[in-house]
Amino acid sequence: MDVIKAFLLFLLSSGLGQAQPSYPGHRDQNNANDAPVTRKLKYIDSPLTDIQWLGGKHNVFVLTEKGQLYRSTDGGATWTNQQRYLAKEGGSRGAKIKSMHISKKHNTVFFIGHGDNNWATIDGGDTFIKTQALDLIDVRLHPTNPEWFLASGNSAGCTSGTAAGTDKSEKYCYRKLYVTKNSGRTFTPIRNYVVQYEWAPEADGNEDLVYATVHSVQQGNQKFGFWDQFVDFVATTDYFSTVKVVVEYGNRFIFGEHNYVFVAAVNPHHETSVNLMITRDAGIGKKFTKAKLPVEVLEHSYTILDTSEGSVFLHVNHNIQSGGASTGNVYISDASGTSYSLSLPFNHRDKGGKCDFEKVEGLEGIYLANFVDVDDKDKEAITSEQPETTVGEQKKSRKNHGPAKDKAKIKTVITFDKGGIWSYLNAPKVDARGDPTNCKGGGDSGCHLHLHGITDAFGPFYSLESATGIIMATGSLGNHLHDRLGEINTYLSRDAGLTWKEVAKGSHIYEYGDHGGLIVMAFDEGPTDHI
């Protein structure tokens, strides 16, 4: 019987030269000038689900599919399974970890385990604390106090039947919120029927300030995953002894850069329509203003794409579909974040709110996006699709194993002036083998380079602030993006998207090190034994 072993491989670059491992379609050039790269291989129990660097470049935690936790204190050269250290503090040796929540500022990590087993560390993993036994779902670490956590879990009524001796109120299913100020040794319940919660940003100036969306009526079973006019966005400085309603009907909220706070508020007369409320005020006395869009339409949900340069890129789901693809419009705000103008129509999105829209990190004003070439007959077609239930912030994602696109003509564009003008990508003149591509521009019907975003199953366009100007992506040449194996290749830009080079045949995953001096790739259309 074959045994499949999972392994963890770290590459450490010792110089600024460019490493060139072998991969399909690669042409090896000037190999003698490559800087040496050190490889460290560690066999582990199962594939990785999470990897987090903590406290600089040496302390690393890794979590596997089987719930095993590994730690390295030398940048990945050696690894130690942490289960016996966790068991030493309480719980069984076989206890498994579901998720880890990290504050890199304080070397604090909270580990949510299966059942009521949870642990914390406030020294980067040198010691562990077995927390009070609670079946938790999520946790929020305080921005300035390393031992303060907010945590949530479901009532006993959310499982089949209510445990003997449980309070009668727990015959119903609802979300419970707790607080601890001693690293989880003891938790205090502070509110039931909670939807979302966060510690206030440090800029708000009150370390006890908590924001949350909560049900105003605390009875019966809590509805999860739906817009609800009986949910409000509230603030409290005394852990819900008193509460201030900040935005009535506010169901979801996120914090952005430059002091932005966004709240999606349900229209009480039309619960599948939501209004976006925005503020840049600090403190509990925030005053919110409704976002002003250039057209009056039903707004089903929002994704905050970017706030890093002061203004806001906002994706609004108007529930327009074409060729099996979901789209929404991208708007850009003025300096206040409240008045918006259209930047890019029919931006491609998925039903979970992820959008093919990314900032080129480390440079101002440069963004890549995909749009759907929508037929005229689809432009006015509003579907009856159930809208997703959150206002969301665009999250970086390296790989998404969702369904491939079907029929829709998806095209890639780039802007160098913060959404003022969008242009197609220039196709490389030769492919990875040095053969001519014969792909020439010519407007909407011409041949261009089109790239995959975060909404599908291939490697998306990807950049890092520490590797200025470098972008990698998978895609295809032609009039629009293809998703057929054999037509997807891997591309690199060294000048922030102005020009592109095909660096490998086939789809790959990739990562940068050494400020872009080291680029690592692995073929991902099937099993591979090299990178």
Side-chain angles (χ1 to χ4, degrees):
M1 178 171 147
D2 292 336
V3 178
I4 300 176
K5 294 182 178 179
F7 64 87
L8 179 63
L9 177 65
F10 265 56
L11 296 180
L12 307 172
S13 174
S14 60
L16 293 177
Q18 184 177 357
Q20 297 181 346
S22 174
Y23 45 80
H26 173 66
R27 298 178 68 200
D28 191 11
Q29 297 177 345
N30 300 322
N31 197 21
N33 296 325
D34 293 342
V37 177
T38 302
R39 303 189 300 270
K40 297 293 182 180
L41 184 65
K42 166 73 175 178
Y43 285 98
I44 57 177
D45 59 279
S46 58
L48 307 184
T49 60
D50 196 8
I51 180 168
Q52 294 286 348
W53 297 80
L54 188 70
K57 63 182 181 179
H58 299 298
N59 200 13
V60 193
F61 280 106
V62 159
L63 186 61
T64 71
E65 283 185 356
K66 290 186 176 180
Q68 299 294 295
L69 182 68
Y70 295 84
R71 181 187 180 216
S72 173
T73 57
D74 52 15
T78 59
W79 294 88
T80 305
N81 190 309
Q82 301 294 293
Q83 303 304 120
R84 63 190 177 98
Y85 301 112
L86 299 177
K88 233 168 112 180
E89 301 304 321
S92 67
R93 179 76 178 267
K96 297 178 180 179
I97 304 296
K98 290 193 295 187
S99 61
M100 52 183 176
H101 306 261
I102 286 182
S103 169
K104 296 180 180 179
K105 181 178 180 180
H106 295 118
N107 283 339
T108 300
V109 190
F110 193 95
F111 304 94
I112 296 180
H114 287 265
D116 59 6
N117 290 300
N118 307 292
W119 293 266
T121 177
I122 59 174
D123 54 18
D126 291 340
T127 60
F128 293 96
I129 300 161
K130 179 68 168 65
T131 67
Q132 179 183 338
L134 287 173
D135 192 353
L136 298 178
I137 294 173
D138 205 0
V139 67
R140 296 289 184 270
L141 309 186
H142 196 278
T144 59
N145 289 286
E147 298 188 76
W148 292 18
F149 312 141
L150 293 170
S152 61
N154 288 334
S155 67
C158 296
T159 59
S160 54
T162 303
T166 301
D167 189 298
K168 288 183 180 179
S169 66
E170 293 213 355
K171 68 180 181 180
Y172 297 113
C173 176
Y174 52 85
R175 189 68 45 82
K176 305 172 70 172
L177 183 61
Y178 305 87
V179 66
T180 178
K181 292 189 174 182
N182 57 11
S183 303
R185 293 178 177 88
T186 58
F187 279 93
T188 302
I190 56 175
R191 176 74 191 217
N192 295 333
Y193 293 87
V194 172
V195 179
Q196 186 186 353
Y197 57 93
E198 297 283 353
W199 294 104
E202 190 173 350
D204 277 9
N206 188 327
E207 63 183 6
D208 289 300
L209 180 56
V210 174
Y211 293 106
T213 49
V214 298
H215 286 263
S216 56
V217 179
Q218 299 184 62
Q219 64 183 30
N221 291 321
Q222 180 175 343
K223 294 192 300 182
F224 296 100
F226 295 91
W227 297 115
D228 192 328
Q229 62 176 307
F230 298 106
V231 171
D232 298 315
F233 175 62
V234 303
T236 178
T237 57
D238 52 16
Y239 304 100
F240 293 92
S241 292
T242 59
V243 172
K244 174 183 172 61
V245 176
V246 183
V247 177
E248 195 174 15
Y249 314 122
N251 276 218
R252 302 289 189 274
F253 68 96
I254 60 170
F255 300 118
E257 297 180 71
H258 299 279
N259 292 330
Y260 277 112
V261 183
F262 303 90
V263 178
V266 168
N267 181 341
H269 307 294
H270 195 303
E271 277 198 351
T272 60
S273 176
V274 291
N275 298 318
L276 184 65
M277 309 299 292
I278 301 171
T279 186
R280 295 182 74 172
D281 296 342
I284 195 170
K286 298 178 186 295
K287 297 187 184 302
F288 282 79
T289 303
K290 181 182 174 182
K292 300 179 180 68
L293 297 178
V295 290
E296 289 294 328
V297 293
L298 286 178
E299 302 148 27
H300 295 275
S301 60
Y302 306 90
T303 300
I304 308 302
L305 299 170
D306 185 66
T307 61
S308 64
E309 297 182 20
S311 55
V312 180
F313 271 110
L314 173 69
H315 176 107
V316 181
N317 170 22
H318 301 305
N319 260 12
I320 299 175
Q321 290 194 335
S322 177
S326 298
T327 76
N329 291 344
V330 174
Y331 301 89
I332 187 170
S333 77
D334 60 5
S336 72
T338 57
S339 294
Y340 288 80
S341 58
L342 180 64
S343 176
L344 180 67
F346 308 118
N347 178 221
H348 185 244
R349 64 192 306 281
D350 67 14
K351 292 182 180 180
K354 288 183 179 179
C355 307
D356 288 344
F357 188 102
E358 295 287 347
K359 175 179 171 61
V360 176
E361 300 292 346
L363 295 167
E364 290 191 359
I366 306 178
Y367 296 82
L368 282 161
N370 284 344
F371 75 95
V372 180
D373 194 359
V374 176
D375 295 335
D376 289 338
K377 63 183 178 63
D378 291 327
K379 290 183 179 179
E380 301 300 327
I382 305 299
T383 74
S384 59
E385 168 195 345
Q386 174 69 33
E388 73 276 3
T389 57
T390 62
V391 56
E393 184 175 16
Q394 182 84 333
K395 301 294 184 182
K396 297 290 181 181
S397 175
R398 296 298 315 283
K399 189 76 172 174
N400 176 44
H401 297 280
K405 303 179 211 30
D406 180 29
K407 297 182 181 178
K409 292 183 178 180
I410 296 173
K411 301 182 177 184
T412 301
V413 287
I414 190 169
T415 178
F416 295 97
D417 61 357
K418 205 172 180 179
I421 298 174
W422 294 90
S423 307
Y424 289 111
L425 302 183
N426 296 314
K429 294 181 179 180
V430 297
D431 66 9
R433 299 188 181 102
D435 299 324
T437 61
N438 298 317
C439 181
K440 298 181 181 179
D444 291 342
S445 60
C447 182
H448 303 278
L449 172 62
H450 302 284
L451 305 175
H452 290 281
I454 63 173
T455 60
D456 61 31
F458 301 98
F461 23 82
Y462 178 64
S463 64
L464 282 180
E465 185 175 1
S466 60
T468 305
I470 296 178
I471 312 172
M472 291 203 71
T474 61
S476 59
L477 303 180
N479 175 255
H480 62 276
L481 183 64
H482 296 290
D483 58 7
R484 294 183 293 272
L485 295 179
E487 296 185 13
I488 301 167
N489 300 307
T490 304
Y491 297 89
L492 167 72
S493 174
R494 294 190 179 94
D495 51 17
L498 185 63
T499 61
W500 293 84
K501 178 180 180 181
E502 184 181 297
V503 293
K505 292 293 183 182
S507 176
H508 290 68
I509 55 174
Y510 26 78
E511 187 55 273
Y512 313 140
D514 208 1
H515 302 281
L518 174 68
I519 300 177
V520 181
M521 295 171 46
F523 187 68
D524 70 343
E525 293 180 15
T528 184
D529 60 0
H530 58 270
I531 62 172

